[in-house]
Amino acid sequence: MFHLVVCVSGGGTNLQHIIDRIADGTLAGVSISRVISNNPGAFALERAKKAGIEAACVSPREFETRDAFYMALVDCVKEAAPDLVVLAGFLVAIPPEMIRAFPNRIINIHPSLIPSFCGKGYYGIHVHERVLGRGVKVTGATVHFVDEGMDSGPIILQKAVEIQEGDTPEVLQRRVMEQAEWKILPEAIRLIAAGRVRVEGNVTHILPDGTQGMA
Ligand code: GAR
């Protein structure tokens, strides 16, 4: 079994799509060991419980310092011994200790075509506000490995989505989720679990099916 820990902060629609792809066999051989949130009110925790998955909350409010929070978060992830950590709308800067503990084993979904509209301040609906404010005609989503920078790790998959006349940030957010995020995040997990993603520096290569592990 290939074990995931999924970290979430909000609604958890990306988490739900991973749960659904495991249930329908698309992600055969993959299981979610634990869902972790920084936000006790995250609906994603309810989704996890409903699917019979252990749900844990590590809230920064319970700790006196940011470092103490980070330590508890890293411990909570490590305790579940995941093969892969999936940040599915996890709006917490990942501490370096976590990246060192799971090199090229943490992935993130970001709601734009990186390197556009990413980095500090670019999260959730704000990404789509800025996309519309800039007037670009194409946006999308990116799954990438997490390194010590912000949205700077090797890109695994991207999918483009067209902007339409009259889009609001909310309408565009929903279209980016439906057409891109909910597809490429489970697909990236499937490829990694199958040993088909090779990282070379800041570039990834997707190996053809059946060639994984070959010299
Ligand atoms: C998603 O759109 C995800 O791409 C974004 O948060 C949303 C979470 O939605 N993540 C970021 O902006 C990270 N920088 P969800 O809780 O319904 O999956």
Side-chain angles (χ1 to χ4, degrees):
M1 223 10 126
F2 188 85
H3 296 281
L4 310 178
V5 160
V6 184
C7 298
V8 290
S9 295
T13 62
N14 278 286
L15 166 68
Q16 189 65 54
H17 281 263
I18 301 169
I19 292 171
D20 293 349
R21 294 297 77 74
I22 291 173
D24 72 14
T26 309
L27 289 176
V30 174
S31 79
I32 303 176
S33 308
R34 180 177 283 182
V35 168
I36 302 173
S37 183
N38 60 313
N39 170 14
F43 185 64
L45 291 172
E46 301 308 316
R47 294 183 191 269
K49 285 179 206 156
K50 193 164 169 231
I53 300 163
E54 192 196 313
C57 179
V58 184
S59 164
R61 271 172 269 158
E62 289 163 22
F63 300 90
E64 290 203 350
T65 64
R66 196 75 187 166
D67 279 353
F69 162 62
Y70 280 152
M71 233 153 73
L73 178 65
V74 175
D75 283 350
C76 189
V77 174
K78 277 186 179 168
E79 203 182 73
D83 296 298
L84 185 70
V85 180
V86 180
L87 309 182
F90 190 55
L91 307 181
V92 170
I94 297 303
E97 308 89 80
M98 183 131 133
I99 291 153
R100 282 196 292 269
F102 299 98
N104 285 337
R105 284 201 291 142
I106 307 174
I107 63 171
N108 179 49
I109 177 86
H110 183 79
S112 76
L113 293 174
I114 289 176
S116 288
F117 304 103
C118 64
K120 198 168 160 44
Y122 285 89
Y123 61 90
I125 196 78
H126 304 303
V127 176
H128 306 290
E129 287 164 0
R130 287 171 173 183
V131 161
L132 292 177
R134 181 64 185 84
V136 296
K137 302 300 181 194
V138 176
T139 183
T142 302
V143 183
H144 63 94
F145 285 110
V146 176
D147 66 7
E148 298 204 9
M150 240 194 173
D151 300 327
S152 58
I155 290 168
I156 304 163
L157 293 176
Q158 293 189 299
K159 193 162 193 299
V161 173
E162 284 188 12
I163 282 135
Q164 291 174 13
E165 203 55 48
D167 271 350
T168 62
E170 290 75 17
V171 167
L172 182 58
Q173 180 179 49
R174 179 78 192 181
R175 187 179 317 116
V176 169
M177 284 179 161
E178 280 176 2
Q179 294 185 4
E181 295 187 43
W182 298 340
K183 295 186 171 150
I184 63 174
L185 185 57
E187 178 61 5
I189 294 167
R190 192 182 72 80
L191 292 169
I192 294 168
R196 291 180 51 196
V197 179
R198 194 175 69 214
V199 184
E200 270 178 23
N202 208 32
V203 173
T204 69
H205 299 279
I206 309 295
L207 306 177
D209 200 6
T211 60
Q212 55 272 35
M214 282 169 66

